[in-house]
Amino acid sequence: GADGKNAANYAFCEGGNSAFPHCDMSKPLEERLGLLVDGMSLREKVGLLAPNATYGNICETHTNPVARLGVDSLHYLVEANTNIASRCLGPDRCATTFVGPLGVAANFNRSSYFAKGDIMSTEGRAFRNLGGVRSSGAPNLIGLTAYGPNINIVRDPRFGRISELASEDPFLSGIMGHDMVSGMQVEDQDGRPRLLAFLKHFTAYSVEAGRGSDNHDISTYDLFDTYLRQFEIAARAKPAGAMCSYNGVNGRPACANSFLLNDIFRKRFGLPNGIVSSDCSAISNLRNAPIHAQNDLAAVVYAFRNGTDLEMGSSLYGNADDGLEFAVKNGQISEADITTSVKRLMRAQMRAGIFDKLGSSEHDELGIEALNSTASQQTSYDIGLQAPVLLRNDVISSNSRQQVLPLSSAKGSKIAVFGSFAESLAAIYSDYAMNADPCINSGNFPTYRAGCVVSVLDGLRSRSGQADVQYSSSPTSLVLSATQRDANRSEAQVPGSPVEEFIPQSESLAPGWELRSSAGIRFADGTGEQTADVVVVVVGAGYDQERETLDRKSTDLDPAQTAVLSSALALGKPTVVILVNGGALSLDELGPKRRSGPPLAVVEAFSPNRNGALPLADLLFGAANRWGKLPYTIYPRQFQYDVAMDDFAMSKGVGRTYRYYHGEVLWPFGHGLSYTEFELSGCDCGDLGSDGEATLSCTVVNAGEEAGDEVLQIYHRLSSGVRDALRDTDQPAPIRALVAFERVRILPGEKATVAFRISREDFSIVDARSGDRFVPAGAHVIEAALGTRGGSADPAAATCQFQHS
């Protein structure tokens, strides 16, 4: 009970239920499955495929029980992208929180990805054992079906849900998905997974505006190269299923798309028993564009016949008059197909041990001690250390090697902190991170408990030592404030103020914005911000600008934050700019072409969430040197005008992502600096084997004076000759594509040698006509790049050439 699995929470085959034939653990699983399902009535089976509001929130999806067979209501939608969505079971007995998924991806560390999944599955199983319930809706035991990771591609920086995602790169997203699923589905001695992982959202979900009725025309090449590739890689970890997405692909909604759900997910990916659940209300959305189902029955038939097993967020499947039961009686769906879907669901539950005797699995023993354990907190902190990305770090003066970062914690050091995001608790959370977080009262606009969430300012002060850290929302100069948010504009001009440096000169003060003055700050010695040794400005894009249901209007900072940033820079002090955001911000004035103004350091912090500001502060003060690398490209301001938000073509015009973008960038994919200097001392290319594979071995040297982490990144590109030949046949190819990576920690003066196996698949590209992968004949180039030298844009990348016939 208190220390492990509680019989009341697993009553399916306990007590009197143990006599049911399907509870006989000596029988093979498939036989037990038949004994359970084949004796059910049609209505009982349909009740297992749809939510019943009697038992809880229909989006969370609590299915109907089959009491005569001992089957309780099953809860399916347990959010598991950032933490396990279960209410706390006592003080400090809550789900472990992690930095946002972008920061986890920025680790470029497969151990981090697995560890996150491993901790979530340990806690998810413990919550189930102990009677945990979700944070919203009617109390009901959380299930073992965990929805996450979300591995949709970061296609456009304006997409509202980027804070939930991993990367713009299908390979990196797929590897993170694969390793998280592996951690989530760790098996016991008899092969029972701890949790059942569901990938989200399948597929090409990348716009909030008009979701549920939107459709995206996507070429065969882009579909397989960009929008399916990450799911293909993650599927190799054998997830239990996937959630289909709201959008349509080439005229067919994803949740009524047999090509995607059956031909690709189940057949091509090798998941014949893979469960497909709808996103919430996606079945009822079929009444809308693009297919305009004429009634609820038509929507039910469209969805079910095309591959969606489980309905979430609406209850059309279960309607007696026009749901699945009626469709079977009307000859539109066969009962055999209903049985197949029910068996997919019950097979997964059986594999996870729901129908097994109490104490038969090591998973049963996970109890209260497994929740937010000291070891899990340490792992979360370690992942947080590898998340923020040091984009820029100027030398303070030409005759000194001292850089803006790290900050000094010495007595007498004065640090002025500006920007409302420094003290904001809401701004530092990624979408869905608030699920079951004990610091948050959830809602459309959650409220946050001070002293529970660590703000960026809290983090700085906790690590500042004897330095004097003082805060004001803005410097004393004129800044902008919003009396009402201007939803259509994010640019404004303040004539005669330093803001002009950041604002297009053709713009005027946007409606709803006004000038005001700030009192600034005072240090302990009575002096103001003008005496600061260094200025820290925290800006970004918050929940009011990007989230589920809301895409950003612009990649620029809003006027108020722009004014704060400009006024802080006008102080002329060495300045640290910390960016807190999901989608990338286009701050051209902070980029590598900036030649005037004070020395700068720029840090991309993504979404620190509940505790991530502590490892961030350790990095800023130099207590650690384990910075992350960019999981997406940071484009200049012009990018948002060059590409249409609803255009899903990857190589059209200037292109999208480092794989197809031809323009200049502010900071490239894979980039991230360090407090030390790394060099690539050379690579041993090896020979191409008869199997089309090669071995590459590279040595990285720490030539600096600090221990630190580097990420060695391996990219594949076609030679110009092969590329030209393909272009003549209208066959696209990426500029380059990540195929391997390894994070290494190296002491000063030491070196690390890393060997990579470059597979035939790594040399392949997608056939534009069939979607299959093939290896073009001719010369292929493998590049070895360092994150500290630009990652995907490393000008000194080592190269190896291999000839494929």
Side-chain angles (χ1 to χ4, degrees):
D3 296 321
K5 184 174 179 179
N6 187 329
N9 302 332
Y10 290 84
F12 295 76
C13 285
E14 291 297 323
N17 291 343
S18 63
F20 288 123
H22 62 263
C23 292
D24 184 349
M25 293 174 58
S26 69
K27 292 181 168 63
L29 186 145
E30 289 298 319
E31 183 180 345
R32 295 176 66 194
L33 183 64
L35 290 168
L36 172 66
V37 176
D38 291 345
M40 291 182 182
S41 69
L42 174 60
R43 178 162 296 180
E44 286 171 333
K45 285 184 278 193
V46 168
L48 294 169
L49 302 178
N52 186 328
T54 302
Y55 300 99
N57 181 293
I58 62 171
C59 186
E60 293 178 10
T61 310
H62 305 267
T63 58
N64 285 278
V66 184
R68 70 180 185 87
L69 295 175
V71 180
D72 286 346
S73 175
L74 288 161
H75 174 194
Y76 278 91
L77 185 52
V78 179
E79 300 291 355
N81 196 41
T82 302
N83 57 6
I84 291 293
S86 178
R87 291 178 185 169
C88 301
L89 297 182
D92 295 321
R93 292 306 180 186
C94 308
T96 299
T97 61
F98 296 89
V99 295
L102 288 167
V104 179
N107 279 216
F108 277 76
N109 188 337
R110 298 191 66 168
S111 296
S112 296
Y113 306 156
F114 179 87
K116 178 182 174 182
D118 186 40
I119 289 171
M120 289 201 302
S121 65
T122 298
E123 295 184 343
R125 179 67 75 151
F127 276 124
R128 173 72 192 199
N129 289 347
L130 297 164
V133 297
R134 250 197 84 165
S135 55
S136 61
N140 199 305
L141 293 173
I142 69 162
L144 297 178
T145 46
Y147 280 75
N150 182 345
I151 53 173
N152 291 119
I153 291 299
V154 178
R155 178 191 62 92
D156 189 294
R158 293 165 289 191
F159 178 43
R161 298 184 72 171
I162 287 178
S163 71
E164 298 175 44
L165 309 183
S167 174
E168 70 178 32
D169 183 67
F171 178 78
L172 181 60
S173 298
I175 291 295
M176 180 166 158
H178 175 281
D179 294 348
M180 274 188 62
V181 168
S182 297
M184 293 166 75
Q185 297 191 161
V186 168
E187 296 180 349
D188 71 3
Q189 70 278 9
D190 295 319
R192 300 179 188 88
R194 275 203 212 115
L195 289 183
L196 299 164
F198 284 69
L199 304 174
K200 295 167 64 175
H201 304 87
F202 194 69
T203 185
Y205 179 21
S206 189
V207 175
E208 288 301 286
R211 76 173 193 177
S213 59
D214 54 331
N215 174 67
H216 310 304
D217 294 324
I218 302 174
S219 70
T220 297
Y221 177 82
D222 283 340
L223 183 62
F224 282 90
D225 176 70
T226 294
Y227 299 106
L228 290 174
R229 178 62 170 162
Q230 71 276 29
F231 289 99
E232 177 185 21
I233 294 170
R236 293 169 185 168
K238 303 300 181 184
M243 174 184 280
C244 52
S245 55
Y246 285 119
N247 56 280
V249 175
N250 298 329
R252 297 292 296 185
C255 291
N257 193 319
S258 184
F259 174 70
L260 290 178
L261 305 184
N262 291 318
D263 296 347
I264 302 299
F265 185 70
R266 292 192 173 112
K267 295 178 184 176
R268 192 174 187 127
F269 291 176
L271 299 171
N273 297 321
I275 299 164
V276 174
S277 69
S278 75
D279 205 335
C280 288
S281 301
I283 305 302
S284 58
N285 286 347
L286 297 179
R287 297 292 304 275
N288 306 324
I291 60 172
H292 296 286
Q294 62 187 19
N295 51 42
D296 287 352
L297 176 62
V300 166
V301 173
Y302 272 132
F304 189 80
R305 289 181 60 176
N306 284 289
T308 298
D309 300 302
L310 178 66
E311 179 182 15
M312 289 185 163
S314 53
S315 52
L316 274 59
Y317 274 14
N319 287 347
D321 296 332
D322 52 7
L324 286 174
E325 187 177 358
F326 180 84
V328 170
K329 294 176 180 177
N330 205 36
Q332 295 166 287
I333 292 173
S334 72
E335 185 169 355
D337 288 341
I338 300 285
T339 301
T340 296
S341 287
V342 172
K343 283 188 174 180
R344 284 196 188 109
L345 292 161
M346 293 303 102
R347 181 183 291 109
Q349 298 286 357
M350 276 192 171
R351 283 186 59 239
I354 286 286
F355 292 91
D356 290 346
K357 183 174 175 57
L358 178 66
S360 58
S361 171
E362 63 197 52
H363 300 331
D364 299 348
E365 304 309 316
L366 293 169
I368 197 78
E369 74 288 340
L371 302 178
N372 198 28
S373 68
T374 300
S376 295
Q377 291 177 48
Q378 182 62 48
T379 299
S380 174
Y381 171 83
D382 289 342
I383 291 173
L385 277 181
Q386 302 169 68
V389 181
L390 181 57
L391 300 176
R392 176 175 182 154
N393 195 17
D394 294 351
V395 172
I396 290 178
S397 65
S398 58
N399 57 3
S400 170
R401 295 179 59 190
Q402 182 183 354
Q403 295 175 294
V404 177
L405 286 176
L407 300 171
S408 172
S409 59
K411 186 176 182 179
S413 175
K414 293 192 287 188
I415 302 171
V417 182
F418 298 111
S420 61
F421 273 45
E423 63 174 350
S424 172
L425 304 182
I428 60 178
Y429 271 84
S430 57
D431 231 3
Y432 277 85
M434 68 279 298
N435 273 274
D437 191 306
C439 300
I440 302 171
N441 298 315
S442 294
N444 288 335
F445 285 89
T447 56
Y448 302 78
R449 295 212 305 273
C452 188
V453 183
V454 181
S455 70
V456 175
L457 181 61
D458 292 335
L460 287 169
R461 284 176 167 162
S462 72
R463 301 299 199 252
S464 60
Q466 293 184 303
D468 188 359
V469 177
Q470 298 296 332
Y471 166 76
S472 175
S473 60
S474 65
T476 53
S477 54
L478 288 177
V479 297
L480 292 171
S481 65
T483 53
Q484 64 181 57
R485 178 161 296 282
D486 175 17
N488 301 313
R489 302 273 297 276
S490 65
E491 298 174 338
Q493 181 182 4
V494 186
S497 83
V499 177
E500 288 183 327
E501 178 183 0
F502 278 76
I503 304 303
Q505 296 300 303
S506 61
E507 300 290 333
S508 59
L509 193 63
W513 297 92
E514 61 185 16
L515 295 173
R516 65 177 173 83
S517 181
S518 167
I521 64 172
R522 286 292 179 268
F523 290 108
D525 62 5
T527 61
E529 62 236 30
Q530 293 79 9
T531 67
D533 296 301
V534 64
V535 169
V536 176
V537 189
V538 188
V539 293
Y543 199 67
D544 61 334
Q545 297 173 16
E546 56 175 4
R547 65 176 188 275
E548 184 172 10
T549 73
L550 182 65
D551 292 323
R552 280 162 59 196
K553 307 297 182 185
S554 168
T555 59
D556 300 335
L557 281 180
D558 68 35
Q561 293 189 83
T562 298
V564 171
L565 177 57
S566 183
S567 296
L569 291 170
L571 294 171
K573 302 290 183 178
T575 302
V576 181
V577 181
I578 300 174
L579 307 176
V580 177
N581 52 275
L585 295 161
S586 52
L587 290 166
D588 298 34
E589 297 79 4
L590 304 181
K593 288 191 172 182
R594 178 184 174 90
R595 295 293 179 265
S596 61
L600 281 182
V602 183
V603 174
E604 175 58 79
F606 305 110
S607 304
N609 290 343
R610 183 183 175 191
N611 297 315
L614 293 175
L616 171 64
D618 281 334
L619 292 165
L620 294 171
F621 278 101
N625 185 28
R626 304 197 64 195
W627 298 91
K629 311 300 174 187
L630 276 179
Y632 55 42
T633 302
I634 299 183
Y635 303 100
R637 179 172 290 116
Q638 183 60 37
F639 179 81
Q640 63 191 312
Y641 305 111
D642 290 339
V643 296
M645 178 70 176
D646 58 357
D647 190 339
F648 276 60
M650 296 303 294
S651 57
K652 180 179 178 181
V654 297
R656 293 180 183 274
T657 78
Y658 80 95
R659 298 165 72 237
Y660 296 101
Y661 179 65
H662 290 278
E664 292 187 358
V665 303
L666 295 182
W667 290 285
F669 172 87
H671 167 74
L673 302 176
S674 171
Y675 292 146
T676 193
E677 182 179 349
F678 293 100
E679 296 175 354
L680 189 62
S681 68
C683 292
D684 180 359
C685 297
D687 297 319
L688 188 67
S690 58
D691 57 0
E693 299 191 351
T695 299
L696 177 71
S697 178
C698 298
T699 299
V700 182
V701 177
N702 184 343
E705 299 176 356
E706 302 283 342
D709 288 16
E710 177 60 289
V711 175
L712 183 58
Q713 303 166 32
I714 307 300
Y715 295 87
H716 166 252
R717 65 175 171 85
L718 300 174
S719 65
S720 58
V722 173
R723 182 177 293 278
D724 290 343
L726 292 176
R727 189 180 296 116
D728 292 340
T729 63
D730 295 324
Q731 170 64 54
I735 299 168
R736 59 178 45 80
L738 184 72
V739 295
F741 58 88
E742 186 74 26
R743 176 180 278 260
V744 290
R745 182 157 178 76
I746 312 176
L747 297 174
E750 300 292 323
K751 61 184 178 181
T753 300
V754 183
F756 298 94
R757 185 69 176 170
I758 310 301
S759 69
R760 185 173 181 84
E761 181 180 346
D762 296 331
F763 288 107
S764 69
I765 63 172
V766 168
D767 186 294
R769 292 157 186 82
S770 68
D772 297 329
R773 299 191 75 86
F774 75 103
V775 178
H780 293 245
V781 179
I782 297 296
E783 301 175 332
L786 297 181
T788 54
R789 296 196 171 188
S792 62
D794 182 352
T799 59
C800 297
Q801 186 162 300
F802 300 94
Q803 190 75 26
H804 279 275
S805 57

